[in-house]
Amino acid sequence: MAEAHQAVAFQFTITPEGIDLQLSYQALNQIYLSGVRSWKKRVSRLRNRVIKGVYPASPSSWLFVVIAILATMYMRSDPSMGLITKIQQHLPLSLSAEGQTMLSVLVFSTLLWLSLILALRFCLKLLLSYHQWMFEQHGRVSNTTKVWVTLLRLLSSRKPLLYSYQTSLPILPVPAIKETLSRYLESVRPLLTDPGYKRMTELANQFESNLGNRLQRYLKLKALWATNYVSDWWEEYIYLRSRGPIMVNSNYYGMDFLYVTPTALQAARAGNTITALLLYRRKVNREELKPSRVPGTVIPLCAAQCERMFNTTRTPGVETDVLQHWQDSEFVAVYHKGRFFRLWVYTAGRLLSPREIEHQIQRILDDPSPPQPGEEKLGALTAGDRVPWSQMRKQYFSSGINKRSLDSIERAAFFVTLDDEEQGMRGEDPAGNLDRYAKSILHGKCYDRWFDKSFSIVIYKNGKSGLNAEHSWADAPTVAHLWEFTLATDAFQLGYSEDGHCKGEVDRSLPLPQRLVWDIPSEVCSSLAVAQALADDVDCHVFPFRDFGKGRIKKLKISPDAFIQISLQLAYYRDRGGFCLTYEASMTRLFREGRTETVRSCSNESCAFVKALEDGEEAEQCRHLFRLASERHQNLYRMAMTGAGIDRHLFCLYVVSKYLGVDSPFLKEVLSEPWRLSTSQTPVQQMELFDLKNYPDFISLGGGFGPVADDGYGVSYIIVGEDMINFHVSSKYSCSQTVSKASVTFMFGCDIGHFKASYSICNFPVFALTTFFLF
């Protein structure tokens, strides 16, 4: 819309009498208001830079320091110990004596103020580097930790902005190579035979004595120079350099409320959802969001991943992809029935009301025009292999109308799909429909999503919604925070009228959404076959479990996460007759620019418990082994969070070895081990947004992801409130040993009194375990 206004804002024609200039004052006014909005944002960013730059102090504290120094000078005392006089000697002689004194006091006060800020930030950084509190038993807090908490609260007493803590967060440490290798060997012990373990021990010792220390020195040098020694390599080599499809393999999804659909009107749901997302973006831009913290504490987490949440896309390359981020975008890209639209969400510098966005969305839904040749399945390029997409982009989308239309999608704040299907837990087969709902958000038709965007929103015909997120720019907790805010704002703050429409007034003079124009040859969509084969192979099952939740588990004095992870080990053992390398994602956001670390949940302790249970050991012995396994898992999780994990360190050592052009049999074998059980817990971070007591049906299902290994499982779970756990399970139909849906039925149809049922990995015998401990 702004481009259209600029085009008609002034017109001129050349006549015999001269140039006839015609101005459109309405259009110029639109341009002026848009410019005012842009400048307000620049001023706001500058103000925020100052505020967070002096945190934990405040800008007004400078005035306090100046007044204090002037007061001491007035009392014939020199707090500078002669420094003010020295500064005065270097000032221009043209100033009066009073002026020189005042200026020298201001200079000294400013230097003192900056020194105090640096000292406070250094102290805050030291405090945030203390992690021993995490390893203390619940209810047994040491005096050191009590003093630490008091000091931390004192320094964090000022209300911080979103990025206020960034420069005070500690740097991720490089673990000692000997400790990493020792922990690695311990983690693979239950997975290897005695000869296999002996061989791996020899490889590890050989690596440490020869190549390992050399690689470690390079890694420590990087840690001294870089903000985070892992994150940039992790983003590049794990995500951006992957040449396979990102659909299913990398992208993940988030689901709507389980039992509630706030409105059945597709356009209305889109109006509120888009508005809520843009309100969140405004909070991010203004840094009005509270920094995320470790639940139940005042300890901040890194917020760097929020920076690329909006106006971001992943562009393909031959060898590696690139993440592109734009400072701002006043439109979103919309897909409906094979057509692409650009929908402007600002007019005259203001955000459209939800009712106005609904009105614009309805215009798109009512548009009867057919797709242009090649347009309908264009999105399949983002779902297939990356190299063909890169080549097609260079050949057909580097200039002309195709480039302009592609720019409109990639520069959009985010992508919206108006799906012509109905989804959700409904009808005569609610469980099956829930599974189809998950598959739809994960991959859709393979061409009706734009998988390269930082995230895409899907609004279904019956009002259900969902989210599909690209993984390279951020991890699931960051996107989950956004999605929680969106669902809560949509349902509880924006709301709907009695007839299901968005609230607010409509300016019916708004210009129509702009159809994007393409000139596409038929061979462009050759990626669809690859993407369709991948999508057809994915088996998804979503299981809301309401028999109990974390409340009942905590009564056993057991960590809910450890409880579920050990249940997974039991399920896998009963399914396969053995154990596998298990991946559980943990965050390292206690450190600056931290992302994730791996918790190797399959431990000696968990395997000992499973074997004892399966061998029919006495109940008391099994309970003892279970508690040991739970404590071990908690310790592994804490070590991963505090930078003492295994896998990111070994990964970076491997990257260094490739840069040096040397091969390590040990690292090569470690990095090639398959994760047949990949798990992740989706955290609920903003329970204050959901009043589950008064609105118990407004429960989010969380989200899930595809399987990491062809013969493995992807398991995501979200612990909602005190009485519910939602599971998302994925596997591949092409593997005869993995079944996502039927295995859950096995578990909950089993004889829990005797533990005799045949389990598969997705059985989650959590109910059996709880019965085992309670009775």
Side-chain angles (χ1 to χ4, degrees), residues 297-558:
T297 73
V298 295
I299 302 157
L301 300 175
C302 179
Q305 295 179 35
C306 295
E307 296 174 354
R308 298 181 293 183
M309 185 176 293
F310 296 91
N311 330 317
T312 298
T313 195
R314 174 173 174 166
T315 58
V318 175
E319 294 184 357
T320 183
D321 293 352
V322 176
L323 277 174
Q324 288 188 292
H325 173 72
W326 290 269
Q327 195 68 36
D328 193 19
S329 178
E330 295 190 350
F331 58 88
V332 298
V334 181
Y335 178 92
H336 177 244
K337 288 188 175 180
R339 296 90 46 81
F340 290 88
F341 296 82
R342 176 166 53 182
L343 173 60
W344 294 91
V345 291
Y346 282 87
T347 180
R350 71 169 179 87
L351 176 64
L352 297 182
S353 70
R355 187 69 180 88
E356 288 174 325
I357 296 178
E358 177 190 350
H359 175 69
Q360 296 293 80
I361 292 292
Q362 191 62 51
R363 285 177 160 183
I364 294 175
L365 294 173
D366 295 339
D367 187 335
S369 60
Q372 301 163 59
E375 181 183 18
E376 180 180 12
K377 299 179 180 179
L378 181 63
L381 288 171
T382 68
D385 291 324
R386 305 305 291 176
V387 174
W389 175 206
S390 172
Q391 294 169 343
M392 290 292 180
R393 180 188 177 93
K394 183 177 181 181
Q395 184 175 358
Y396 297 110
F397 298 89
S398 59
S399 62
I401 59 174
N402 286 345
K403 184 180 188 305
R404 290 193 293 271
S405 295
L406 182 61
D407 283 347
S408 295
I409 295 176
E410 295 185 336
R411 292 173 180 264
F414 48 88
F415 191 83
V416 180
T417 294
L418 302 175
D419 205 299
D420 54 0
E421 296 181 348
E422 295 186 357
Q423 296 291 349
M425 191 173 69
R426 57 191 176 80
E428 297 180 355
D429 183 20
N433 286 328
L434 205 56
D435 297 345
R436 285 184 281 274
Y437 178 25
K439 274 181 67 69
S440 176
I441 306 175
L442 181 61
H443 56 68
K445 298 184 181 72
C446 301
Y447 57 79
D448 55 351
R449 316 279 188 261
W450 200 266
F451 295 100
D452 285 355
K453 286 298 291 181
S454 55
F455 66 89
S456 300
I457 300 299
V458 184
I459 309 294
Y460 293 98
K461 189 175 181 180
N462 61 338
K464 272 295 178 186
S465 67
L467 173 144
N468 184 288
E470 200 275 318
H471 209 325
S472 63
W473 65 274
D475 302 306
T478 301
V479 178
H481 194 279
L482 163 72
W483 194 231
E484 287 174 8
F485 176 91
T486 302
L487 292 178
T489 303
D490 170 23
F492 301 120
Q493 295 186 22
L494 298 176
Y496 299 89
S497 60
E498 293 183 359
D499 56 358
H501 289 283
C502 296
K503 298 177 181 178
E505 301 298 326
V506 179
D507 179 4
R508 300 194 178 274
S509 66
L510 292 172
L512 288 169
Q514 298 173 335
R515 272 291 303 271
L516 299 184
V517 183
W518 308 91
D519 180 15
I520 305 171
S522 58
E523 66 266 21
V524 166
C525 287
S526 58
S527 296
L528 181 58
V530 175
Q532 194 65 60
L534 177 59
D536 292 343
D537 196 25
V538 177
D539 179 20
C540 291
H541 184 57
V542 181
F543 188 80
F545 180 59
R546 302 213 65 165
D547 288 41
F548 68 90
K550 70 176 181 180
R552 196 171 182 184
I553 298 174
K554 283 186 173 181
K555 288 181 180 179
L556 304 173
K557 297 183 179 180
I558 295 172

Side-chain angles (χ1 to χ4, degrees), residues 67-78:
I67 293 174
I69 298 298
L70 285 173
T72 55
M73 294 290 291
Y74 179 77
M75 297 172 62
R76 304 291 183 181
S77 177
D78 185 6

Side-chain angles (χ1 to χ4, degrees), residues 97 119 122 187 252 352 642 645 673 701 732:
F122 179 74
S187 72
Y252 53 94
L352 297 182
T642 54
E673 293 171 343
L701 265 171
K732 291 193 174 183

